[in-house]
Amino acid sequence: MIDFHQVHKAYRVSGRDIPALQSCDLHIERGEVFGIIGHSGAGKSTLLRLINRLEEPSGGRIVIDGVDVTALGADGLRKFRQQAGMIFQHFNLLSSKTVAANVGMPLKLAGVPAREIEQRVAALLERVGLKDHANKYPAQLSGGQKQRVGIARALATRPKILLCDEATSALDPQTTAAVLQLLAEINRELGLTIVLITHEMDVIRRVCDRVAVMDAGVIVEQGPVAEVFLHPQHATTKRFVQEAEHVDENDQRDDFAHVQGRILRLTFIGESTYSPVLGQVARETGIDYSILAGRIDRIKDTPYGQLTLALTGGDIDAALARFEAADVHLEVLRLSLIHI
């Protein structure tokens, strides 16, 4: 649905070019929820705004649904933007307009007849749970309700792509969960391609199919969320995962320093998350184990579990082979059997 070919962007500041995005190649599938994560200044907002050309690329090509949008003139770009709805961090609602008027504004600007606008707005407000708030003004709404108005407005022109610019960062955790659930439902029901930028790995984990991690204008890692979240390779990705899990690797290393045994991390995905593999392996191989850390959660709709164990006694090598045979991902954190 979206292809970036060697796209780069630089801003001219005080007579010199400051790179914001460097030689980006990116492929986003039709109908998926694609997340882009990075700290402030990483270039993720620039990348998102290049999709609908709110920012102009300095070079490269952006092809969306088979159309090279970097080659579009003013008229073509105006029509294209009707196919790319956008949700903003701070809602960007017109305070002097009612909820219904805010949602209907893109349709009014597109010259849609008033009766059709009324019907479309009513359907959208019902879909986002604001049926009874049509005549209220933004100041009368909570943050979550304002963002639902923003979502309804972004859907008004029946877009093929939904761009979410830090759509949940101004919301509390409970409201964030509700908005993410709404976006997931919209993705499933309408088959929309959603591109979502955030600085929170937990947002990526809850709703996205694939993710790209950015640092200093470069995509440093990308792939399916389960792969990137559970087995991060780049230092930036590892920091995001540690923040999401509230884990400090240095503290963990100190905690494990006095633990006896071979230390490893087991990762279970899907049905294996709930299977009694650990107990079976312990009985078969005679190992003893201590659970040093662990969690069971979900990545979008897929359950997963991770356990950090210290193994002693029995046939440890046989236990490792048995874990691998059971399709459990195995990562050895410390090889020595006994640490003194």
Side-chain angles (χ1 to χ4, degrees):
M1 186 64 173
I2 302 172
D3 279 301
F4 276 53
H5 301 279
Q6 289 293 295
V7 176
H8 56 96
K9 171 67 178 179
Y11 294 98
R12 192 75 175 169
V13 179
S14 300
R16 63 193 186 100
D17 288 335
I18 306 297
L21 189 68
Q22 304 181 48
S23 299
C24 174
D25 287 304
L26 188 65
H27 176 75
I28 299 175
E29 295 283 355
R30 186 184 306 275
E32 73 175 342
V33 182
F34 192 93
I36 301 169
I37 188 169
H39 293 295
S40 296
K44 57 187 185 298
S45 292
T46 298
L47 190 155
L48 186 81
R49 290 165 177 265
L50 286 169
I51 293 175
N52 59 1
R53 278 182 56 189
L54 289 180
E55 295 284 355
E56 292 291 341
S58 301
R61 295 172 62 241
I62 303 170
V63 179
I64 299 178
D65 200 18
V67 176
D68 184 352
V69 299
T70 50
L72 292 177
D75 289 341
L77 184 58
R78 191 177 303 112
K79 291 178 182 177
F80 162 72
R81 283 177 175 161
Q82 292 180 5
Q83 301 301 311
M86 193 161 188
I87 305 169
F88 300 90
Q89 178 180 356
H90 296 296
F91 321 128
N92 286 18
L93 303 180
L94 298 173
S95 59
S96 62
K97 300 288 186 181
T98 64
V99 166
N102 269 282
V103 173
M105 185 60 67
L107 298 172
K108 184 177 180 180
L109 293 173
V112 176
R115 179 59 180 164
E116 189 176 333
I117 292 176
E118 184 180 343
Q119 293 173 344
R120 177 70 175 149
V121 168
L124 286 167
L125 290 179
E126 184 167 7
R127 178 62 195 83
V128 300
L130 295 178
K131 177 182 177 181
D132 298 327
H133 299 272
N135 295 319
K136 290 184 178 180
Y137 289 86
Q140 298 172 287
L141 304 178
S142 67
Q145 289 171 331
K146 289 177 183 177
Q147 195 55 286
R148 287 172 180 267
V149 176
I151 293 171
R153 179 184 58 190
L155 296 174
T157 57
R158 294 184 172 86
K160 297 178 182 177
I161 301 169
L162 194 59
L163 307 177
C164 302
D165 187 0
E166 297 271 14
T168 60
S169 63
L171 306 175
D172 62 75
Q174 185 175 356
T175 307
T176 292
V179 169
L180 291 177
Q181 182 179 349
L182 176 61
L183 289 174
E185 291 171 358
I186 288 169
N187 168 252
R188 285 194 298 268
E189 293 170 9
L190 303 180
L192 279 180
T193 303
I194 297 179
V195 185
L196 180 153
I197 66 169
T198 182
H199 60 274
E200 299 177 84
M201 197 66 180
D202 198 50
V203 170
I204 298 292
R205 178 181 64 81
R206 290 188 192 188
V207 75
C208 294
D209 299 299
R210 291 194 302 130
V211 61
V213 183
M214 296 194 67
D215 186 36
V218 177
I219 295 177
V220 296
E221 190 168 352
Q222 61 177 305
V225 173
E227 182 66 27
V228 173
F229 185 82
L230 296 176
H231 312 298
Q233 301 300 310
H234 193 272
T236 300
T237 314
K238 291 178 180 179
R239 285 197 299 273
F240 277 118
V241 172
Q242 289 167 23
E243 290 168 7
E245 296 183 334
H246 307 289
V247 170
D248 187 309
E249 267 195 354
N250 293 325
D251 289 345
Q252 258 196 358
R253 196 175 294 113
D254 292 341
D255 291 341
F256 297 166
H258 304 290
V259 175
Q260 292 188 342
R262 188 176 299 184
I263 298 178
L264 61 146
R265 181 183 293 124
L266 304 180
T267 301
F268 308 81
I269 299 178
E271 292 301 317
S272 67
T273 304
Y274 304 113
S275 63
V277 174
L278 182 56
Q280 291 170 354
V281 172
R283 287 192 298 272
E284 292 172 9
T285 61
I287 62 167
D288 292 318
Y289 61 87
S290 300
I291 298 176
L292 307 179
R295 68 180 295 173
I296 294 176
D297 214 320
R298 301 184 80 84
I299 295 175
K300 200 169 184 181
D301 299 321
T302 304
Y304 77 93
Q306 279 193 320
L307 290 176
T308 302
L309 306 176
L311 303 186
T312 56
D315 190 340
I316 292 180
D317 290 332
L320 300 187
R322 178 69 176 80
F323 284 132
E324 291 180 342
D327 202 25
V328 177
H329 184 275
L330 182 65
E331 181 183 359
V332 177
L333 304 182
R334 193 178 74 199
L335 284 170
S336 58
L337 289 176
I338 298 180
H339 182 83
I340 299 176

